[in-house]
Structures are given as structure tokens and as C-alpha cells.
Amino acid sequence: MARRRRATLVVLVAALVAAACSDPPTTGSGNAVEAGGDGQGEAALPDCPLDALDEATGPVDVTLWYGGIGGVTKQTMEHMVDAFNASQDKVRVTASDQGGSYAAVYRKFESAAAANTDQLPDIVLLEDTQLQVLADGGLILPAQACMEASGYEVTDIEPAVRSEFSVDGVLYPGYANVSAPILYYNKAHLVEAGLDPNVPPQTLEQVYEQAKRLKAAGVSEKPFAFKVSWNAFENWLEGDGVDVVDNDNGRDGEATEATFDTPEAQDALARLKRMSDEGLINVFSSTEGGVDQYLALATQQSSMLIETSGASVNIAEALGGNLTAADVGPDFDESLVDRTQLVPATAPFPGLQAAGHAHPGGGLFFIVSTAPPEQQAGAWQFLEFMLQPANAKEWHVRGSYLPIVKSVSDEPDVQAFWQDDVAGVLLKPGVDQLTAADPDEPGPLIGPFTDFQEDLENAIESVLLSGADVDSALASAQDEVTQSLQRYADD
């Protein structure tokens, strides 16, 4: 086995900053989907104007807005656009970076929609949390309409991805940059604390127990780095069978009431508070574009971190050969551990009862319905190009996103990537979570998702940073989210 060499910490910190930027706002009319199309709980699909591209007299210019991606992931985006433009002469895509976060792109998209729909792009990459409001606003052409019109087999896409990003049984995005929360941890720290580096915590309680061991051994000052996250909290509840809003998490009808103030939620937040009270948790506010939680792990102030699987490739890129796949994988040789080493590893998302229960999330590529027909058709041609297995594989291997096209996981070189490449080993727990995700238990559909996110994160922060009472904070947040849901329903 190759001997592990010293990682360059400064470079790794820079890569973690880039990874943090690679995470994880409408009005209008357009091609809105009408409910109840086939009597089976699905919606009727609008027309996808594929013929308009054939009728175009010259190359069709398609504008793509994106944001919130950096480093190797952004390079992959640019390469995908260049490869598509070189592959044919009917459509030319121009990709435009609109900001350092999904939220920044959404704000610009919302502003353009309110001012003049002529200012909107033809494709927009937005966070999955905006799915319901985009579907309600009528500015998005459901990509499933184009899939059916072009003969693309929608079942080629992972079932959990299809269910997660559908509204009324209709898949809206044409492609999805999927990620999921996983556990990052420093193997060298676990060894120094007398813990098995290949047996990371599987539950939030085990995170607490290992954090106690790490602190008692003097390995890290605050062992568990935690950026306050609605996503982690919601997945803790979902993994325990708790819906955060009514009507089957908004999937069987518009959500009108928040339902997350439950014994499970109280227990989860109480566990985090206990870690805070005992000095075991390094809490960071939920600030847009914040990277301090990554820096805590990189500078070894902390030993464990829950974050997006999308950081994996950027971390591996920064290591630049300083570690091998065996070092970060199950064949790790703890006898070679040096206290000065940072040996990042990943594991499934630690839940309340078991690990790995986390539904997919990420960025979604939407076709804008106000675009002229030829631009809509050209937009679909680009998204169909992205769905080709070879290109979906590139999004996984180079772009750090989880493979959404089922056949990609069967490719021998992808399986070798998971076993022999540092990035692949780090990504594999996220891949396994996606494969195991239950398509019958997707995440919530919430119109005012931003309000839900802010109210829940404010409650968590008030407990962990200001000492607020757990029960009171959750009850207040639930009331505030219910009011937002009712206002949204009345609009």
C-alpha cells in the first residue's frame, strides 16, 4: 500500500472554500400545467415545441443562467457547454455565471420576471427548494413534456430523482445536479482518540459519543463542526418518518400547515444543545456562502462535519496526490498516522436512528416557458445532451454530482473510480444514499420554502447560539411557517 504523504493544508483550505461555493423568487403566466390530466393524480403536460427548432432558419441562441458552482465543478459546466456546441450546428448555448450562490441566481431571475420576461434566460439553474413556487408561477416548461415529445425514456433517470423533482407526477427539470448531505471526518483524529477510523458514527447520538472521546483525548477543541442547516434537520426528521408540513409533505396537495414540532424534532435539537453545552460542537450561522465550517475541519479545530457530497471532488483535487484511495477508503493503515496529517474520509449521513436516510437535493436545470418556441426546443436539445450517459458520467466523475442516469453506475470505469480514485471514494457514500433512497418518500414541496428555511434555521440558531428553550423555539418556528403557508395559499 502506498505510504500516505503530508497534505498541503493551505491548498486544501482553498479547495474547501471553493467546494462551499459549490453548494446548496416568481410571477408570470406561460405554459402552466393543469392539474388532474389523466385522472391518476398526475398533471396534463403542455406541448413542447420541438418542431420549432427544425423550422429555424439559422443557429438558435440559447442562454443559460447558472451560479453557486466553482472550481472543478464550474470547469465541468463550461466543458459541457463547449462540447455540446461542438457536437452540432443548430443550437448555440451561452452559459452566464449570475452569482456565487443559487439564491443569488434566484433573486436575479425573480427580478427579471417581475420587470420584463424578455430579460429571462432560456435555461436557468436553480435550487430544488424553489420547485413548488416555480411550478406555481407558470414560468417553467416541464421537461417531461419534451422527454415524451422526443422519445426520451424518463425511467432512465434514478427513481428517487424523478419523484423528488416532480410536481403532480410531472418531472420539471431537464437535468439535475444532485447532491446529498454526508459526514466528512478526519481519520487521523479518530485514530488518535482510540476510535476505529473505518467505523464513523452512524447516528447523531454516536456523533455525540465520538465527539466526547475526541475532546477528552485533546484531539480537537470542538470535534463536531455544524453549520446551522434546515437540510440536515429536515433529513433527520424525514429519516424518522416525520413530515415537516401537512398533506403528505405537500405531495398530496398544497401544504397549509407546518408539522415539524414533534418529539423527534425536540430530541434532535436537544441532542445538538447538549453537545453545545458540553463544548463539543462548533456552531456556525447559516450565512450564504459561508465557509467557516469547512475551515474548521481543514485546520483541524474540528474532526467531523455534515456537508454536501458535492465537496468531494474539490477536496480530492486539492490533495493533488498527497493521499491515495486506500488512505481515504476502508483499507486505511492507521499505523502510518501522523498527528499533523489531515486524512479526510466520508460516511453516510448520520441519522436519528440509522445512517444513510437522506433524500436528494441540489440544482435543477429548468426550461423557461416564456422563451420563444425555438429557444425552448434548443434548450431541451442541450438538456438531452446532458442526459446522455457519457455526459452524465462526466458530471459525476469531474463535476462531483451524484449519477442520476441509472446506467452510469454500471460503467466499469465508474466503479473503478469509486474504488481507486480519492474523489470517487469520498463520493461513494452519497451514491449509495441516492441508490437506496425511497422514491415513495421524497422531500417536502413547500411554496414559501425560503420562509420555512429561515424560520427553522433561526430556531436552531436561537437554541445553539443564544440558549433559547428547545420546545419554545420549535413551537414558535412552526407557527411562523404555518402563517407563511397560509399567506402563500391566499395569494
Side-chain angles (χ1 to χ4, degrees):
M1 170 182 182
R3 186 176 182 87
R4 178 171 39 81
R5 297 178 294 277
R6 182 182 302 272
T8 304
L9 181 59
V10 173
V11 178
L12 180 55
V13 170
L16 288 169
V17 172
C21 296
S22 305
D23 286 316
T26 68
T27 59
S29 50
N31 294 333
V33 176
E34 298 179 1
D38 61 3
Q40 301 298 319
E42 294 188 356
L45 292 173
D47 292 333
C48 178
L50 296 185
D51 292 345
L53 189 59
D54 296 330
E55 297 168 0
T57 56
V60 173
D61 290 322
V62 170
T63 300
L64 162 65
W65 281 4
Y66 72 96
I69 59 177
V72 180
T73 306
K74 183 173 181 177
Q75 295 170 16
T76 305
M77 172 84 257
E78 295 167 346
H79 178 262
M80 193 69 61
V81 170
D82 291 343
F84 170 75
N85 289 336
S87 72
Q88 44 74 55
D89 55 12
K90 287 187 176 182
V91 179
R92 179 164 185 83
V93 174
T94 300
S96 177
D97 191 339
Q98 298 295 316
S101 67
Y102 289 137
V105 182
Y106 182 62
R107 288 191 292 268
K108 184 161 185 178
F109 185 81
E110 183 183 36
S111 177
N116 185 345
T117 55
D118 290 342
Q119 299 176 13
L120 290 172
D122 307 307
I123 307 172
V124 61
L125 173 63
L126 294 172
E127 193 170 16
D128 65 295
T129 55
Q130 306 303 337
L131 177 59
Q132 181 70 70
V133 73
L134 290 169
D136 290 342
L139 286 178
I140 302 302
L141 173 68
Q144 188 169 335
C146 297
M147 292 177 181
E148 294 194 3
S150 64
Y152 179 82
E153 183 51 69
V154 69
T155 57
D156 287 347
I157 299 172
E158 288 284 351
V161 173
R162 300 199 309 268
S163 65
E164 185 71 30
F165 305 135
S166 292
V167 179
D168 292 333
V170 172
L171 182 62
Y172 269 74
Y175 196 82
N177 285 347
V178 169
S179 58
I182 57 176
L183 179 73
Y184 291 86
Y185 68 101
N186 187 345
K187 284 191 169 186
H189 281 193
L190 266 62
V191 171
E192 188 172 355
L195 297 164
D196 188 335
N198 295 320
V199 184
Q202 302 291 297
T203 65
L204 191 56
E205 179 64 21
Q206 290 178 13
V207 169
Y208 166 70
E209 295 295 340
Q210 292 204 9
K212 283 200 302 183
R213 291 277 298 274
L214 288 158
K215 187 176 181 67
V219 175
S220 49
E221 182 181 355
K222 292 185 176 180
F224 180 40
F226 179 69
K227 181 178 180 181
V228 172
S229 166
W230 68 267
N231 183 262
F233 205 84
E234 185 258 320
N235 273 294
W236 279 324
L237 299 184
E238 293 288 334
D240 232 30
V242 177
D243 291 345
V244 296
V245 292
D246 63 353
N247 290 326
D248 193 23
N249 249 356
R251 297 285 174 170
D252 282 347
E254 184 174 8
T256 60
E257 183 179 358
T259 60
F260 55 78
D261 183 14
T262 62
E264 293 84 356
Q266 294 159 12
D267 178 64
L269 189 49
R271 289 172 189 264
L272 294 176
K273 186 177 186 303
R274 178 175 58 177
M275 282 191 266
S276 179
D277 292 343
E278 296 182 18
L280 302 174
I281 188 170
N282 211 351
V283 181
F284 301 97
S285 296
S286 182
T287 304
E288 185 177 311
V291 298
D292 286 347
Q293 74 279 14
Y294 287 96
L295 299 177
L297 195 67
T299 58
Q300 303 192 53
Q301 296 173 14
S302 298
S303 306
M304 299 177 286
L305 168 69
I306 291 175
E307 260 294 351
T308 173
S309 59
S312 300
V313 166
N314 283 292
I315 291 172
E317 181 81 2
L319 295 174
N322 288 301
L323 296 175
T324 69
D327 290 325
V328 301
D331 295 328
F332 175 64
D333 184 352
E334 62 185 84
S335 69
L336 300 179
V337 166
D338 181 333
R339 174 66 180 88
T340 63
Q341 295 285 350
L342 172 60
V343 186
T346 55
F349 176 74
L352 297 184
Q353 302 295 329
H357 295 294
H359 54 74
L364 310 181
F365 290 85
F366 295 105
I367 301 171
V368 179
S369 63
T370 57
E374 62 271 19
Q375 262 86 17
Q376 292 182 41
W380 164 245
Q381 185 164 319
F382 173 66
L383 297 177
E384 188 175 25
F385 176 82
M386 291 171 67
L387 284 166
Q388 293 176 10
N391 298 320
K393 179 167 65 176
E394 182 174 356
W395 275 116
H396 177 51
V397 173
R398 288 195 73 232
S400 81
Y401 294 110
L402 305 180
I404 71 166
V405 177
K406 290 189 291 187
S407 63
V408 169
S409 294
D410 296 328
E411 294 283 343
D413 55 342
V414 172
Q415 294 178 7
F417 169 68
W418 296 336
Q419 180 175 336
D420 302 330
D421 190 282
V422 170
V425 174
L426 294 175
L427 270 169
K428 189 57 163 60
V431 175
D432 293 340
Q433 283 185 174
L434 178 61
T435 302
D438 186 351
D440 293 328
E441 296 293 338
L445 278 177
I446 300 174
F449 209 109
T450 300
D451 291 346
F452 163 76
Q453 174 181 343
E454 290 180 353
D455 291 336
L456 183 55
E457 290 180 347
N458 286 341
I460 299 170
E461 285 193 13
S462 71
V463 170
L464 300 183
L465 297 177
S466 302
D469 175 71
V470 169
D471 293 352
S472 298
L474 284 172
S476 177
Q478 178 165 282
D479 287 343
E480 290 169 356
V481 173
T482 294
Q483 292 173 27
S484 295
L485 290 168
Q486 293 173 350
R487 286 194 299 269
Y488 184 85
D490 291 340
D491 288 345

